Amino acid sequence: MAYYFDEPSRTFGEYLLVPGYSSSECIPASVNLSTPLVKFRKGEEPTIKLNIPMVSAIMQAVSNDTLAIALAKEGGVSFIFGSQSIESEAAMVARVKNYKKGFITSSSNITPDATLADIIDLKERTGHSTVAVTDDGTANGKLLGIIGSRDYRVSRMDPMTPVRDFMTPRERLVTAPDGTSLKECNDIIWDHKLNALPLVDKDDHLTYLVFRKDYESHKENVNELLDKNKSYIVGAGINTRDFKERVPALVNAGADVLCIDSSEGYSEWQKNTIAWIREKYGDSVKVGAGNVVDAEGFQFLADCGADFVKVGIGGGSICITRETKGIGRGQATALIDVCAARDRYFEETGIYVPVCSDGGIVHDYHVTLALAMGADFLMLGRYFARFDESPTNKVRINGQYLKEYWGEGSNRARNWQRYDLGGAGKLSFEEGVDSYVPYAGPLKDGVYTTLAKVRSTMCNCGALSIPELRKKAKLTVVSSTSIVEGGSHDVILKEQVQG
């Protein structure tokens, strides 16, 4: 007869935090959100700590080098998606590690033969007002001109007007040679009243852009996550198939931490992958594993040597694993069970293995609930896919801006390595969907708002750190009627009347 768990499988939406005593010292500005990313021994410090408890999911629609840089600036880590060629993933990691703060690789580029209509379309997709005109339309082509928002007026120009007719041509541009320091670039921008300064190499190929608007923002990144060489910290996803080739390439590219990307981690495949990494690199290469949903799964991966363990099966917004296979567990219940196992493991071995909650986050307050339930940090997909810096297209549908978002188990991703059980190298059926999410602007603004709510709620609980929140948090299960009561009810919203 099958084993039955005593408790029902619950989600974050079924819980609320009960406020505790807040002293006058409990103000959001005093809250410390730092948290360990990788395991450590009692009395020691982890080799990598996050400044905010957020990492981005190992997904094509979420984690590329652009988002990795943006998230590292805020204090979190991106795990570059592994469902691409080894060379491509390693190149993304290298771009993050080689990124020079303030020096932006142009992501909006066009050829002089393009038209105003192409410029409008490009701006719609990227949201960028500054477009580099190069001979081949790439970020490192020969610089021929720059187009800014002042160079054209849509209402007064033919959409088929060639770019070369209204761009600011190369001979009129103020540029600086590649290698110019950021301070010198900012002085040039100030002296010439520029919005953007192109940097070019000896052959006049574009290398970087430095923007006026970024000057102040560089001072604001107080939480940026840096390694000992002052480069941004970045993670990368691996699978249990080509790890013997992929791991060395990612390590050589500079990846700070790896994570096995799998829908179910309680397997010999993950054990073998971690064992190979330990045999070849010892503890110098950090690797997380998962996903699991109970204490047994955690114990298995911890014993295998995982540096952190991911929790969650079927809770992602684009995941249909539970629907197609009947496998999984409510995210809150799974997290509570695994975190209790982590604490027991720490008491028995003196080794603390951080727990990452992956999936199930619908509202910002769910982040605080997950931390209170024991998560050290959260992995988020849909949340980060909404922002400017994610790699997907921004589209306008029925007057609303959306961004594309698809699961790694969808046919679009074709990430069979994540889901197969030693089979034929293909997806037998889908475990993810292809969808849209509402566009949410810059990552920086979204993360700021979310963490402002987290800090405020922690103060309501009388906690100024994540470990303190776990000790002081009081959680209550809520009824379906309580959930309704918690939102606006029994009123007519103005927007409904005015609409």
Side-chain angles (χ1 to χ4, degrees):
M1 183 175 176
Y3 174 82
Y4 288 85
F5 287 90
D6 294 332
E7 292 294 321
S9 181
R10 298 190 182 278
T11 66
F12 292 131
E14 296 177 76
Y15 288 89
L16 286 175
L17 284 157
V18 176
Y21 171 73
S22 299
S23 71
S24 59
E25 296 177 350
C26 281
I27 59 174
S30 299
V31 172
N32 180 358
L33 291 177
S34 65
T35 189
L37 176 63
V38 296
K39 69 182 179 184
F40 60 95
R41 292 189 175 276
K42 187 175 182 179
E44 299 178 355
E45 286 291 312
T47 53
I48 307 176
K49 291 180 72 174
L50 297 164
N51 291 330
I52 62 172
M54 304 171 82
V55 302
S56 68
I58 311 168
M59 300 176 69
Q60 293 175 7
V62 179
S63 297
N64 67 344
D65 49 314
T66 306
L67 190 121
I69 291 167
L71 184 52
K73 288 180 179 179
E74 302 308 312
V77 165
S78 282
F79 285 86
I80 302 294
F81 70 92
S83 51
Q84 59 179 316
S85 71
I86 294 173
E87 295 76 17
S88 178
E89 185 180 12
M92 284 190 180
V93 169
R95 285 197 291 272
V96 178
K97 298 307 292 185
N98 295 330
Y99 176 80
K100 296 190 289 184
K101 286 176 285 185
F103 296 88
I104 310 298
T105 299
S106 178
S107 55
S108 290
N109 309 287
I110 209 159
T111 65
D113 297 325
T115 64
L116 174 59
D118 295 322
I119 290 290
I120 295 169
D121 178 65
L122 185 60
K123 184 177 180 181
E124 184 113 334
R125 285 187 282 114
T126 66
H128 300 156
S129 297
T130 301
V131 178
V133 184
T134 59
D135 62 342
D136 58 3
T138 69
N140 299 118
K142 189 169 184 178
L143 183 63
L144 302 178
I146 291 286
I147 294 175
S149 56
R150 296 179 182 178
D151 290 321
Y152 59 89
R153 292 188 67 175
V154 176
S155 61
R156 295 190 179 186
M157 292 173 60
D158 183 342
M160 300 311 295
T161 305
V163 163
R164 61 165 49 86
D165 289 353
F166 60 92
M167 70 182 185
T168 302
R170 173 66 182 89
E171 58 268 20
R172 288 171 47 200
L173 290 175
V174 177
T175 64
D178 189 26
T180 304
S181 72
L182 183 59
K183 182 182 184 306
E184 291 172 319
C185 288
N186 285 322
D187 288 341
I188 294 170
I189 288 172
W190 180 263
D191 292 340
H192 293 272
K193 299 180 180 179
L194 305 174
N195 289 322
L197 175 68
L199 271 67
V200 294
D201 65 16
K202 59 183 177 59
D203 297 317
D204 216 32
H205 287 84
L206 180 65
T207 55
Y208 298 105
L209 292 172
V210 177
F211 290 93
R212 173 188 288 269
K213 63 181 177 61
D214 288 339
Y215 177 71
E216 287 299 326
S217 70
H218 299 315
K219 297 181 179 180
E220 296 171 5
N221 298 325
V222 294
N223 285 323
E224 61 184 359
L225 198 61
L226 305 171
D227 63 18
K228 61 183 180 181
N229 297 317
K230 304 299 183 183
S231 295
Y232 286 129
I233 288 179
V234 62
I238 62 173
N239 62 67
T240 58
R241 298 294 166 207
D242 63 9
F243 60 88
K244 292 182 181 180
E245 296 77 38
R246 191 172 294 266
V247 170
L250 296 175
V251 170
N252 291 337
D256 298 280
V257 57
L258 306 176
C259 184
I260 302 173
D261 183 26
S262 173
S263 63
E264 205 281 296
Y266 194 177
S267 73
E268 187 175 0
W269 305 106
Q270 297 221 1
K271 179 181 180 180
N272 293 341
T273 302
I274 297 171
W276 183 86
I277 291 173
R278 293 289 173 251
E279 181 181 350
K280 183 173 177 62
Y281 296 100
D283 289 329
S284 64
V285 170
K286 308 301 178 184
V287 57
N291 288 16
V292 298
V293 291
D294 64 3
E296 282 185 40
F298 172 86
Q299 181 78 39
F300 172 78
L301 291 177
D303 288 342
C304 287
D307 283 291
F308 64 84
V309 172
K310 280 205 298 164
V311 177
I313 294 176
S317 60
I318 40 67
C319 184
I320 54 173
T321 294
R322 297 180 194 173
E323 183 179 328
T324 57
K325 294 172 66 175
I327 295 286
R329 199 177 189 187
Q331 188 66 13
T333 300
L335 183 61
I336 292 168
D337 191 4
V338 170
C339 288
R342 174 204 56 203
D343 293 343
R344 290 193 298 271
Y345 189 84
F346 182 49
E347 291 176 7
E348 294 167 2
T349 67
I351 300 173
Y352 187 91
V353 181
V355 167
C356 168
S357 179
D358 178 16
I361 301 298
V362 180
H363 304 292
D364 285 344
Y365 80 89
H366 289 171
V367 174
T368 320
L369 286 173
L371 296 174
M373 291 173 181
D376 293 281
F377 57 95
L378 291 84
M379 178 170 279
L380 303 155
R382 179 193 61 86
Y383 178 89
F384 286 115
R386 305 171 303 147
F387 297 131
D388 283 326
E389 295 85 355
S390 77
T392 63
N393 292 322
K394 184 174 74 171
V395 296
R396 189 173 183 177
I397 300 176
N398 296 328
Q400 181 182 7
Y401 282 108
L402 307 169
K403 291 207 77 176
E404 295 177 304
Y405 181 47
W406 59 92
E408 289 297 295
S410 68
N411 272 327
R412 181 170 182 174
R414 299 186 182 279
N415 186 4
W416 66 269
Q417 297 98 327
R418 187 181 203 272
Y419 294 90
D420 90 300
L421 298 175
K426 63 180 181 179
L427 283 175
S428 299
F429 54 88
E430 289 187 279
E431 293 188 47
V433 299
D434 200 341
S435 63
Y436 297 102
V437 289
Y439 167 65
L443 179 146
K444 183 179 183 69
D445 294 345
V447 168
Y448 174 85
T449 300
T450 297
L451 295 183
K453 296 175 185 178
V454 172
R455 291 186 176 98
S456 180
T457 306
M458 287 175 63
C459 288
N460 293 143
C461 297
L464 292 177
S465 68
I466 293 173
E468 190 176 11
L469 174 66
R470 286 188 209 135
K471 292 178 182 177
K472 294 185 175 182
K474 295 181 290 183
L475 290 158
T476 180
V477 176
V478 296
S479 67
S480 58
T481 308
S482 296
I483 294 172
V484 174
E485 181 186 63
S488 60
H489 59 90
D490 301 318
V491 296
I492 300 173
L493 300 178
K494 288 183 177 180
E495 61 189 43
Q496 294 175 338
V497 177
Q498 294 168 353

